[in-house]
Amino acid sequence: MHLPKHLIVAGICTEIGKTVASAVLAELLGADYWKPVQAGELELTDTHKIQQWTQQEIHCHPEAYRLQHPMSPHAAAALEGIKLHPERFELPSTDNRLLIELAGGLMVPLTHSFLNIDLVQQLGCPVLLVSRHYLGSINHTLLSVALLKQRGIPIVGILFNGPATPSSKEVILEYTQLPCIGELPSLETISKESILEASRHLASQPFFRKVR
């Protein structure tokens, strides 16, 4: 099984653990990392976190936009008098694998007429969908999958992050007919050591044992 060279890390909603998942995947695959839009936390961006959390020297490409306010990019940009231009979102040039982390869920607006899902379609890369079990997560996961399929966007599979709920996982995988990329446990502390351990845990799971 071949994993796509460029992969978009999308979540079923915000605060789902995309950055932790990206760090684990970057550590495991030795991939580059790119977050097209950073909204808020400019003193400790997701790019900084990836660099701090990984043992490997992960090459992180600069964001297309860095916004000060921790809110939807379209609103943060308006507050700061910035206009986000879709044509500025170009894939970084690299010979390496590349992980692309979205800012929020698939329907988060970057402008009033350009959503994350439009960015995904524009970049033309397959999606790895990060899910987490909570009340309502089945609905959010199935809606995200339905949207991606409606747009004809390839989905590599689903990565479950956090405490396991076998009944939810079973119905999601059965309904979507997507592979489970793996399951990541909740990390009590996030550090180079815990991310490395999580990457080893992911590497031992069935999907990655078949990946080349």
Side-chain angles (χ1 to χ4, degrees), residues 52-84:
Q52 289 183 8
W53 292 345
T54 49
Q55 298 271 4
Q56 295 197 54
E57 289 189 14
I58 302 301
H59 182 72
C60 296
H61 299 270
E63 303 93 337
Y65 291 95
R66 292 165 56 91
L67 305 169
Q68 297 177 24
H69 294 79
M71 56 200 307
S72 176
H74 84 288
L79 279 177
E80 296 165 36
I82 296 172
K83 183 174 176 57
L84 275 62

Side-chain angles (χ1 to χ4, degrees), residues 16-125:
I16 207 70
K18 296 190 307 298
T19 306
V20 169
S22 295
V24 172
L25 290 164
E27 184 70 61
L28 174 59
L29 301 171
D32 289 8
Y33 172 85
W34 180 46
K35 183 149 190 181
V37 179
Q38 175 70 38
E41 294 189 292
L42 295 187
E43 71 287 350
L44 183 60
T45 65
D46 290 336
T47 295
H48 292 141
K49 291 172 184 175
I50 295 292
Q51 292 170 326
Q52 289 183 8
W53 292 345
T54 49
Q55 298 271 4
Q56 295 197 54
E57 289 189 14
I58 302 301
H59 182 72
C60 296
H61 299 270
E63 303 93 337
Y65 291 95
R66 292 165 56 91
L67 305 169
Q68 297 177 24
H69 294 79
M71 56 200 307
S72 176
H74 84 288
L79 279 177
E80 296 165 36
I82 296 172
K83 183 174 176 57
L84 275 62
H85 298 276
E87 61 271 17
R88 277 193 56 183
F89 296 110
E90 295 184 357
L91 283 172
S93 177
T94 178
D95 293 326
N96 195 18
R97 291 186 184 274
L98 176 65
L99 299 173
I100 304 155
E101 182 188 345
L102 299 182
L106 290 167
M107 292 299 285
V108 165
L110 302 177
T111 73
H112 285 272
S113 59
F114 190 75
L115 312 178
N116 264 337
I117 188 69
D118 299 313
L119 174 60
V120 171
Q121 200 155 31
Q122 176 176 298
L123 295 175
C125 303

Side-chain angles (χ1 to χ4, degrees), residues 117-190:
I117 188 69
D118 299 313
L119 174 60
V120 171
Q121 200 155 31
Q122 176 176 298
L123 295 175
C125 303
V127 165
L128 184 154
L129 188 64
V130 180
S131 183
R132 179 188 289 271
H133 299 301
Y134 56 84
L135 187 62
S137 67
I138 295 174
N139 181 54
H140 292 161
T141 305
L142 297 185
L143 283 171
S144 297
V145 170
L147 177 63
L148 290 166
K149 288 183 175 181
Q150 182 185 38
R151 294 287 192 105
I153 296 166
I155 310 168
V156 173
I158 300 173
L159 176 64
F160 294 96
N161 183 37
T165 304
S167 61
S168 294
K169 174 189 170 186
E170 180 182 359
V171 73
I172 288 168
L173 296 179
E174 184 175 341
Y175 186 85
T176 63
Q177 292 297 294
L178 290 171
C180 175
I181 298 298
E183 296 181 85
L184 291 177
S186 293
L187 303 181
E188 291 186 11
T189 58
I190 304 175

